[in-house]
Amino acid sequence: MRSVQEHQDVIAGLIQPRPAVTLAPADALGLVLAADVVAGVALPGFDNSAMDGFAVLAADIAGASEDAPVTLPVADDIPAGRTDTQPLEPGTAQRIMTGAPLPPGATTVVPVEATNSDFGADFSSQPQVQIRVATREGQHIRRAGEDVAAGTTVLRAGQRLTPAALGLVAALGLAEVTVLPRPRVLVMSTGSELVGPGTPLQPGQIYESNAVMLAAAVRAAGAEAVTGPMVSDDPELFRAALTEHAGDVDLIVTTGGVSAGAYEVVKDALGEEVEFVKVAMQPGMPQGSGRVDGVPIVTLPGNPVSALVSFEVFLRPPLRTAMGLPAERPRITATLGEDLTSPAGKRQFRRGVLGHEKGQAVVTSYGPPASHHLRWLASANCLLDIPLGVDHVAAGSQVDVWDLSSD
């Protein structure tokens, strides 16, 4: 049998990055920059007020206090967005809003709370203002370029675009960014026993779940999922559906039809293009990979736990690598809370629950190891990685754990 590492290497060789693309910032959340972002403008772009208040000369209010307020005539009103500010004359004030441009000549801003002004009143009804605090020169003023100077590289290639990073891109007025795109992955499930939700089950039928589950796993990894139709165990129908839906994708993922039964539709249809192998692992021994009409294809087993564990082990890392994202789930060492057995000659990935006791990571297995027990995987938060050649692990031993609760 092929080792897990050998099959990981084969799959990694199939999945390659797509060329960089330009996208609108609204479409780039979570993607990785393929080129630096350089500021074409300064932030702020002009001196502006950090407070609702009054723009004045600091020298004019140097002696202002609660007991001896300074009274100044209010010569103008400056809302945010005004583009025609007038110079401030000495001995006067201009009412100003947060973010509004500072009038030429003003050297400080007095917050409205330090005056007798009612900002809810009409400007024309307040011809003068009493200032009760002597703010210093430059106080409550945001200077042009103090956040970003024009020409500064503000984001680097390889950096993931977070909401804050996209806010910066938008603040710089950039209409697009250059990123590594999401791979498009076609997910198809096979089996004559499968029916869709809402359809009454006949004896021997089951509801299709793998395509829903794997498409979600593709999206959770950061890639784009395209779900194909369920296909019966008819090789000609399967091949026709594959041809119809695989024209514009970077990877095809199928589930089912790869084992040793009499109706293995994926094997029967793709036996000359896909290499079918046995991998020394539990769950997920039957695997396949190759190219169909030039498109990489990975064929996974049909049992749901086998399918999802196989995705975690073989597909998630190279998909994320192709997008410039961290490939591996966080790996930690934890203390095993029970005795475990593992099949001889296989590397076992066991569902588990990871917690902490007295500051130490502790893990226990969760549910039976068989590959059809999906309920237990749905509530697990980790995979225990039991190495090849280990058939018994005692409680209290240190074991490797894949943390499924985070990227």
Side-chain angles (χ1 to χ4, degrees), residues 51-54 109-115 119 131 133 135 139-140:
M51 303 287 287
D52 293 330
F54 291 86
V109 172
V110 180
V112 64
E113 294 85 358
T115 74
F119 256 40
I131 295 174
V133 171
T135 55
Q139 192 170 2
H140 304 310

Side-chain angles (χ1 to χ4, degrees), residues 2 7 10-11 13-15 250-252 270 272-276 287-299:
R2 179 180 286 177
H7 198 59
V10 169
I11 303 305
L14 283 175
I15 301 173
D250 305 295
L251 174 68
I252 303 164
L270 305 177
E272 296 182 1
E273 296 152 288
V274 171
E275 181 186 18
F276 294 97
Q287 302 283 339
S289 62
R291 291 181 181 272
V292 174
D293 299 329
V295 181
I297 184 169
V298 175
T299 66

Side-chain angles (χ1 to χ4, degrees), residues 204-299:
Q205 293 183 328
I206 61 172
Y207 289 119
E208 198 289 315
S209 61
N210 281 357
V212 173
M213 178 177 65
L214 290 173
V218 167
R219 296 186 188 103
E224 180 182 351
V226 180
T227 304
M230 293 180 291
V231 182
S232 69
D233 292 327
D234 182 317
E236 291 186 4
L237 291 177
F238 169 72
R239 188 60 192 245
L242 199 62
T243 301
E244 180 181 354
H245 292 87
D248 188 30
V249 298
D250 305 295
L251 174 68
I252 303 164
V253 177
T254 67
T255 66
V258 297
S259 193
Y263 300 97
E264 305 295 345
V265 63
V266 177
K267 266 188 172 181
D268 293 343
L270 305 177
E272 296 182 1
E273 296 152 288
V274 171
E275 181 186 18
F276 294 97
V277 298
K278 292 180 179 180
V279 177
M281 65 184 289
Q282 184 196 54
M285 182 178 68
Q287 302 283 339
S289 62
R291 291 181 181 272
V292 174
D293 299 329
V295 181
I297 184 169
V298 175
T299 66

Side-chain angles (χ1 to χ4, degrees), residues 109-204:
V109 172
V110 180
V112 64
E113 294 85 358
T115 74
N116 69 335
S117 177
D118 177 9
F119 256 40
D122 181 70
F123 164 67
S124 61
S125 68
Q126 300 183 57
Q128 60 184 22
V129 61
Q130 284 187 354
I131 295 174
R132 298 166 178 160
V133 171
T135 55
R136 67 182 180 276
E137 191 163 313
Q139 192 170 2
H140 304 310
I141 294 173
R142 301 166 177 161
R143 295 299 183 185
E146 70 175 32
D147 185 14
V148 176
T152 301
T153 299
V154 293
L155 299 170
R156 297 284 183 182
Q159 186 169 344
R160 193 175 187 180
L161 288 168
T162 63
L166 290 171
L168 177 59
V169 168
L172 293 171
L174 299 176
E176 58 186 26
V177 287
T178 303
V179 295
L180 298 176
R182 306 178 194 278
R184 285 174 52 85
V185 182
L186 173 65
V187 178
M188 293 182 64
S189 58
T190 66
S192 297
E193 74 276 18
L194 303 179
V195 297
T199 303
L201 291 176
Q202 300 297 319

Side-chain angles (χ1 to χ4, degrees), residues 387-400:
L388 179 72
V390 175
D391 58 10
H392 178 265
V393 187
S397 300
Q398 299 297 296
V399 292
D400 293 330

